[in-house]
Every structure is written in C-alpha cells, then in structure tokens.
Amino acid sequence: TRLHTAFVRQCLMTLSLVLGLMMTGAFVPAAASECPALLNHKFNRLQDDSPQNLCQYSGKVVLVVNTASYCGFTSQYEGLEKLYASYKDKGLVVLGFPSNDFSQEPGNNKEIADFCYNTYGVKFPMFAKTSVKGKEANALFADLVKAGGSAPRWNFYKYLVGRDGRVLESYSSMTSPDDRDLVRRIPGDEVAPQPDRVTPEASPVGVDRAHPRNEHDERGRVDGTDPAHPPALAAGVLAD
C-alpha cells in the first residue's frame, strides 16, 4: 500500500511539472524532429520575460513582424490584432518582435507591452525587445533572411511562414495586414516555391507582389509616414 501511494504521488508530481512547463511555453510535447528548423528558437515573452519555445507554433501559419511604437506604421498594430482575431481559429498566429533598429522603439519591455495593450488591445504573442537586422539580428530573423526573405528595411516588415515551416512570402512595411494577397495565403497550404522552380506567375520569396519594393516608399518621408496615405496615429503615439 505504501509503495502504491508513493508511486501515485510521484506520478502526480510529474504530471503537475509537465503541465506547468506547458503553460509557460517552455515545454513542447512534440518531438524536436517535428519542429521546423525555422521555429526551433526560444525567446522571452514581452510581458513577463517568460521563456517561450516557438516550436509551440508548429503546424500553424505564422506571420512574423518587427514592430515599433513611434513609427508612421504603428497603427498597423490594430490591423494585425484584427487579422489574428479573425484567423487564429484557422491556424494563424502573429508574432511581434519590438525593435529599436530604426530608432523608433526606445521604451523598455514593460512600456512597450503597456502601450500595445492599452492603445491597440494587442493579444497576439509579443516578445522581448530585440534586434532584427544586421550582425545583431536575433536567430529567427537571421534564419528568415537565410530562407530567402530579405532583412527588414523598416518597421512592420512581415514574413509569412507556412505550416511546413517554410517562408511563403515577405511583405514590405507598406503592405497592410488586410492586404488581399497576404490574407488569401493564410490557410497556409501552399508549399514554398523552390529557387529553381519559381514560375513566371509566382513572385520569388521576398517580393511583395502588391507593392514592389522601393526603399523610399517603405520608409516614406523622413518621419516614416507614407507620403500618399499618412496613417493617423492613436493618441499617445509621437510623430517620428
């Protein structure tokens, strides 16, 4: 009887530990071999610095975005949240990575988290402030570039990753979250085109079909706004 009781107690303790790890995102039940290499990274959550394994998003369509609080495109937070809310039940997840690489995210993690939630009601996963370009780019963004995307040229650059863990497309800052081409790809059943198999109809990875790349267009004016359609910033967001 004592042995049985001890065995049951041990099982309960183990189960409790596993459940706790799963809740924090530190434990992913799938085998490491089932996690796409692109997602096999860990980052701290923005709100509480809790370690998160991106393998928990295996099998989902992933939209990776580098963000900033004081940018002409900051209002895209609202569209990104709407996109996430509309399609999360279909397997979409938006991953936000705040960065000061373009000198428009000076705040600390708490300030960024408060701003995102209080101003735009952001509920999609956000991660600690990081670097997204150059030699200091974090491991995920470095892998996104290696996979065929180009490095972010401004805030709110977007990478769409399919369920198989391959980059489907990258989009410039000018591409809004409700862009028709982006939205139609959300089911994520497409297979990323291979370099030697790209058809004339399909643009290569890294090219925004709707908005061909133009460094001036992506950055907008010196203040980061779109000259043709300057976004209206929410109260509390400083002009660049």
Side-chain angles (χ1 to χ4, degrees), residues 144-145 147-151 153 157-160 167-173 175 179 181-182 184-185 193 198-214 218:
L144 286 167
V145 173
S150 61
R153 300 172 69 179
Y157 207 79
K158 305 165 189 71
Y159 300 87
L160 190 65
V167 177
L168 295 175
E169 194 72 83
S170 59
Y171 298 88
S172 76
S173 310
T175 304
D179 177 81
D181 179 69
L182 191 159
R184 77 173 178 81
R185 287 173 172 266
V198 176
T199 64
E201 294 76 22
S203 63
V205 171
V207 175
D208 175 9
R209 273 193 283 261
H211 306 286
R213 286 202 183 107
N214 180 294
E218 284 189 31

Side-chain angles (χ1 to χ4, degrees), residues 11 25 38 41 53 60 98 108-109 119 125 130 133-134 139 142 146 153 170 207 212 221 231 235:
C11 288
L38 190 65
H41 301 292
N53 193 326
K60 292 182 177 292
N108 59 39
N109 288 338
T119 310
T130 186
K133 69 182 184 73
K146 291 178 183 177
R153 300 172 69 179
S170 59
V207 175
R221 294 194 181 91

Side-chain angles (χ1 to χ4, degrees), residues 19-191:
L19 288 175
L21 290 172
M22 290 179 67
M23 289 179 67
T24 63
F27 174 82
V28 179
S33 60
E34 298 176 10
C35 177
L38 190 65
L39 297 179
N40 196 11
H41 301 292
K42 293 181 180 180
F43 296 97
N44 290 343
R45 188 161 51 197
L46 177 65
Q47 294 84 347
D48 57 10
D49 284 332
S50 172
Q52 301 292 302
N53 193 326
L54 299 190
C55 286
Q56 65 185 291
Y57 304 117
S58 296
K60 292 182 177 292
V61 181
V62 180
L63 184 65
V64 180
V65 187
N66 63 300
T67 67
S69 299
Y70 297 97
C71 175
F73 297 104
T74 298
S75 59
Q76 286 193 14
Y77 267 130
E78 182 177 1
L80 290 169
E81 179 57 33
K82 287 182 179 178
L83 187 71
Y84 174 64
S86 298
Y87 291 94
K88 63 181 180 179
D89 291 339
K90 296 183 180 180
L92 171 74
V93 63
V94 178
L95 305 182
F97 289 83
S99 175
N100 195 41
D101 283 358
F102 302 101
S103 303
Q104 295 185 325
E105 187 60 280
N108 59 39
N109 288 338
K110 183 182 185 307
E111 291 170 337
I112 298 170
D114 289 345
F115 169 79
C116 289
Y117 184 77
N118 294 332
T119 310
Y120 296 105
V122 170
K123 297 183 180 67
F124 59 81
M126 294 280 294
F127 299 90
K129 186 175 174 179
T130 186
S131 183
V132 298
K133 69 182 184 73
K135 295 181 179 179
E136 301 301 319
N138 69 45
L140 173 61
F141 277 79
D143 282 355
L144 286 167
V145 173
K146 291 178 183 177
S150 61
R153 300 172 69 179
W154 200 241
N155 304 306
F156 291 89
Y157 207 79
K158 305 165 189 71
Y159 300 87
L160 190 65
V161 179
R163 298 179 192 275
D164 60 356
R166 293 174 180 245
V167 177
L168 295 175
E169 194 72 83
S170 59
Y171 298 88
S172 76
S173 310
M174 294 291 292
T175 304
S176 63
D178 62 355
D179 177 81
R180 182 162 44 185
D181 179 69
L182 191 159
V183 172
R184 77 173 178 81
R185 287 173 172 266
I186 286 177
D189 295 326
E190 301 92 336
V191 175

